Amino acid sequence: MDENHVLIFDTTLRDGEQVPGCKLNTPQKIEIAQQLEALGVDVIEAGFPISSPGDFNSVIEISKNITEPIVCGLSRGVKKDIEVAAEALKYAKRPRIHTGIGTSDYHIKHKFNSNRDNILQRAYDAVAYAKSFVEDVEFYAEDAGRTDNEYLARVCEAVIKAGATVLNIPDTTGYCLPDEYGAKIKYLADNVRGIENVIISAHCHNDLGLATANSIAAITNGARQIECTVNGIGERAGNTSLEEVAMIMKQHPRLNVTNNINSKLLNPISRLVAEKMGMMVQPNKAIVGSNAFAHSSGIHQDGVIKNRETYEIIDPIEVGVDESMIVLTARSGRAALAYRAHKVGHSLTKLELDKVYDVFLKHADMKKEILDDDIHQIIAEAV
Ligand code: KIV
Ligand code: ZN
């Protein structure tokens, strides 16, 4: 693999689907998985097979319906989970078992009532067991964000010896700062024997709104797989947004990395996931929110009408949005009004525009937004 290529691991159907109220049935999951394949993701985490018969069945059906991406099933680091994941993945052309265990002292003490040496052994055993079913085994060190780096490095070294192909370093609680998370990835890259033979993966949660920033910090420090979800859905405040990391990589050549995402499909898949999960996207969401390319203040509108790049760093067509929107509100100026009037068939002279603008402001002060029908009415009233 090209050393500057970053793999996109989508977990919309696993970490994303864990969100209360977002449950999908198998046909819905297959439809989303097929669109993820079209989008160009490298890995689809299809589910957590032992968690329910429905999830088990979905992983089977997604495996049958997906050709190119790796299909991945989650398991805890216990034998039964791993066996069930392997069974669910038996039709996958490129199966991956994602297994692991909590490595922070919070998890070791409170979840497992155990100690570091015992957890390290369990991590090794889980990977070795998964490896007896599939070649491609990803190990997750749950709560790696709050795990002591030196111990984390020992765990990583052990699971590489057991056959792990990918090391997932989750910031499970979304606690890390970008420099801290980046430094953790670098520490592992510099100190774990054998790490050059595996892929380091970043899996960030958004509890402090830092999931995307942390993922980018991971890339600049050597991670070559990013785990993310469409619209950033996921437990609590969500996961890293697929559309954000993909576009950051594209917009910043300085990062010197590539990915396989067909960005023109980002908005269509965002709408599909929002609709199927019944989870609307916040209007101001980067890349895929309904306001991401909308301009409503006079100063911005005037600039965008003269040249889109004055206030837009992304061409909306690049992410599957037809055009930028000039929204008419009481904050809009004459340029925006003339622009929108022209779009609905009225070419106004300067004198006409002045008259129409006065009437427009009266209407706009009484409404949140002036729509096309209002424009016809306002012009009829004014001219
Ligand atoms: O956030 C997390 O730690 C996870 C793991 C199970 C991979 O989702
Ligand atoms: Zn997670």
Side-chain angles (χ1 to χ4, degrees):
M1 197 183 86
D2 169 4
E3 63 175 25
N4 294 332
H5 193 74
V6 174
L7 300 169
I8 298 294
F9 174 117
D10 180 273
T11 182
T12 306
L13 299 174
R14 199 281 296 170
D15 227 350
E17 209 237 5
Q18 287 177 207
V19 173
C22 282
K23 176 101 189 59
L24 300 171
N25 59 35
T26 300
Q28 290 171 323
K29 287 188 190 176
I30 294 171
E31 187 179 347
I32 292 176
Q34 287 171 331
Q35 292 313 309
L36 288 168
E37 178 165 21
L39 180 68
V41 308
D42 302 280
V43 187
I44 296 175
E45 187 160 54
F48 182 9
I50 201 157
S51 65
S52 74
D55 226 37
F56 177 79
N57 189 43
S58 294
V59 176
I60 291 191
E61 295 306 321
I62 290 170
S63 298
K64 289 180 185 165
N65 281 280
I66 291 301
T67 315
E68 278 297 314
I70 292 167
V71 177
C72 176
L74 185 77
S75 74
R76 290 165 299 183
V78 294
K79 280 190 161 179
K80 187 73 191 153
D81 279 36
I82 294 168
E83 287 159 12
V84 173
E87 178 65 17
L89 288 166
K90 69 180 175 203
Y91 297 106
K93 279 122 210 122
R94 301 171 68 198
R96 175 183 292 176
I97 294 179
H98 187 190
T99 190
I101 196 161
T103 53
S104 70
D105 288 335
Y106 295 97
H107 283 231
I108 294 174
K109 279 193 200 120
H110 305 304
K111 246 170 83 171
F112 302 116
N113 189 23
S114 185
N115 59 59
R116 288 183 174 185
D117 288 342
N118 176 265
I119 293 298
L120 186 143
Q121 185 62 46
R122 283 169 67 174
Y124 178 94
D125 292 345
V127 171
Y129 193 54
K131 197 75 180 177
S132 69
F133 296 97
V134 292
E135 181 46 39
D136 189 5
V137 177
E138 173 168 340
F139 172 77
Y140 66 83
E142 196 179 8
D143 206 13
R146 294 187 299 171
T147 300
D148 164 61
N149 283 349
E150 188 273 333
Y151 173 64
L152 185 59
R154 283 207 288 131
V155 174
C156 288
E157 216 162 281
V159 297
I160 290 173
K161 282 201 187 110
T165 47
V166 182
L167 291 182
N168 179 9
I169 312 300
D171 183 21
T172 305
T173 56
Y175 179 71
C176 289
L177 290 168
D179 64 339
E180 192 182 1
Y181 189 65
K184 188 176 283 285
I185 300 293
K186 183 162 169 36
Y187 179 85
L188 297 174
D190 290 345
N191 291 287
V192 172
R193 255 168 302 180
I195 201 139
E196 62 284 359
N197 302 319
V198 304
I199 292 169
I200 306 178
S201 185
H203 177 117
C204 298
H205 280 265
N206 207 28
D207 299 66
L208 291 171
L210 290 170
T212 297
N214 284 347
S215 300
I216 298 298
I219 291 176
T220 56
N221 284 283
R224 285 296 175 263
Q225 178 178 279
I226 296 297
E227 308 199 1
C228 47
T229 60
V230 174
N231 299 334
I233 55 156
E235 288 273 359
R236 307 182 307 281
N239 289 55
T240 301
S241 286
L242 186 155
E243 56 279 2
E244 292 174 10
V245 276
M247 288 314 290
I248 291 169
M249 285 188 240
K250 192 165 184 182
Q251 294 305 113
H252 283 282
R254 187 166 66 81
L255 289 174
N256 194 24
V257 285
T258 55
N259 62 65
N260 277 338
I261 297 299
N262 174 358
S263 63
K264 292 196 166 75
L265 296 179
L266 287 173
N267 267 275
I269 199 162
S270 160
R271 287 193 293 273
L272 177 74
V273 168
E275 185 211 312
K276 298 290 176 206
M277 289 192 163
M279 182 91 155
M280 287 308 123
V281 177
Q282 72 194 61
N284 59 325
K285 171 81 179 61
I287 321 292
V288 293
S290 56
N291 286 346
F293 297 95
H295 306 274
S296 65
S297 86
I299 296 171
H300 289 211
Q301 291 176 329
D302 184 48
V304 170
I305 291 167
K306 286 176 177 144
N307 184 324
R308 193 189 55 73
E309 287 178 272
T310 51
Y311 287 98
E312 282 182 357
I313 57 158
I314 298 171
D315 183 342
I317 290 173
E318 282 303 307
V319 293
V321 173
D322 290 342
E323 56 179 354
S324 320
M325 277 193 309
I326 299 292
V327 182
L328 291 181
T329 71
R331 305 291 149 258
S332 300
R334 283 175 176 72
L337 179 59
Y339 173 85
R340 284 282 302 276
H342 184 73
K343 282 208 144 212
V344 295
H346 303 276
S347 294
L348 301 171
T349 64
K350 189 169 174 322
L351 205 65
E352 286 169 335
L353 181 60
D354 283 343
K355 283 193 203 157
V356 174
Y357 188 65
D358 286 344
V359 180
F360 162 79
L361 282 183
K362 286 189 196 119
H363 284 254
D365 262 339
M366 291 183 300
K367 292 190 78 174
K368 282 197 193 302
E369 188 183 333
I370 296 293
L371 305 174
D372 288 351
D373 282 349
D374 303 318
I375 298 176
H376 296 301
Q377 195 196 322
I378 290 167
I379 292 177
E381 217 176 288
V383 186

